[in-house]
Amino acid sequence: MPPFAHHLPVAALLTALTSQPVMAQPAPATPPGESTVSVGLMTTSEWRPYRGVGNTTSLFPLLQYENAWLDIWGPGADIKLKDDGPLAVMLRARYADTGYDASDSEALAGMKDRKNSVWLGTKLQWRTAVAHTSLEWLTDGSRHSKGQQAKLWVETMMHAGPVRIVPRAGLQWQDAKYVDYHFGVTAAEATATRPAYRGHSVLNTELGARFLYTFTPSQSGFVDLSATALGSAIRRSPIVERSWVPAVRAGYVYRF
């Protein structure tokens, strides 16, 4: 059996609730007629890039259901078009809380609230015993930004005693509409200290590592560390003060 085959519950749940790229299940897929259910808890500490907005700490419940053709994980779901052999192809829907309220900081006062969105698209993954390479394309199904984004990332597995370490590196492209909606400043929103700004497409870089520990065959714990380097089209925005966005996540998962 491939070395990543026993880590699907943690990986899928992290994907759903953190928007971070993680490994999907390698072949073989869930056999026809069988399904799995996992539950757990996750705490997150994340920094937002906006001026005057610090880190936020939250506690989330984790829930996943999967069968041979469907994978539902928290606020997201995949329909598996192909999930056997080295290549996986799936349709994806995911809710992402990338918006903000003008009341989040003094620097955003007078801005129009930016709404969260449901993102729709597809994901391709090439899986080997050495690494998983994934490509994801999503469009704003809620039509708030009318934007698109794509991710390309690679991750592999290492061991340190009983702890499994999954380092990853990735690139994330976001189009001009996405950047302008989330980081732009319209003429009506501009002030003497917040000039108007029109966003352009951007390429962000992410580095991260996940640490997994199995307590029993059905119980696992994890810690995930990541940092995203924001592209220049985001950094130049007058409402942005960070060039790097770090995040820490930890949790517990029980698989039935």
Side-chain angles (χ1 to χ4, degrees), residues 14-15 18-22 151 168 206 224 226 228 247 249:
L14 278 170
T15 301
T18 70
S19 300
Q20 298 292 329
V22 292
K151 295 179 185 178
R168 66 180 180 270
E206 189 217 0
D224 189 278
S226 68
T228 300
R249 305 167 180 88

Side-chain angles (χ1 to χ4, degrees), residues 6-174:
H6 298 293
H7 311 307
L8 171 63
V10 171
L13 292 168
L14 278 170
T15 301
L17 294 176
T18 70
S19 300
Q20 298 292 329
V22 292
M23 289 181 185
Q25 184 186 24
T30 303
E34 295 187 12
S35 61
T36 62
V37 177
S38 301
V39 298
L41 288 173
M42 179 175 70
T43 183
T44 71
S45 185
E46 301 180 273
W47 282 256
R48 304 295 301 277
Y50 300 105
R51 291 188 180 278
V53 180
N55 69 309
T56 59
T57 301
S58 305
L59 182 67
F60 296 96
L62 302 179
L63 175 63
Q64 181 206 17
Y65 170 80
E66 185 186 19
N67 59 29
W69 61 273
L70 179 66
D71 190 5
I72 300 174
W73 25 263
D78 286 339
I79 297 176
K80 304 175 188 177
L81 303 181
K82 175 179 170 57
D83 196 29
D84 56 348
L87 178 64
V89 182
M90 59 198 73
L91 300 178
R92 168 160 290 187
R94 177 164 56 83
Y95 176 81
D97 57 347
T98 53
Y100 64 80
D101 293 333
S103 59
D104 287 347
S105 78
E106 292 184 4
L108 297 175
M111 297 287 293
K112 184 178 179 180
D113 294 346
R114 270 41 170 190
K115 297 181 180 179
N116 301 332
S117 293
V118 175
W119 292 85
L120 305 174
T122 186
K123 177 184 174 183
L124 306 177
Q125 186 175 67
W126 183 258
R127 306 174 296 203
T128 71
V130 176
H132 289 180
T133 302
S134 302
L135 176 63
E136 177 188 75
W137 170 83
L138 298 172
T139 187
D140 187 348
S142 301
R143 306 297 293 170
H144 298 314
S145 69
K146 301 180 176 64
Q148 301 180 54
Q149 55 181 321
K151 295 179 185 178
L152 174 66
W153 69 93
V154 179
E155 53 193 352
T156 188
M157 175 79 73
M158 299 186 297
H159 292 81
V163 178
R164 292 170 300 284
I165 305 172
V166 186
R168 66 180 180 270
L171 297 174
Q172 181 187 51
W173 170 82
Q174 295 166 331

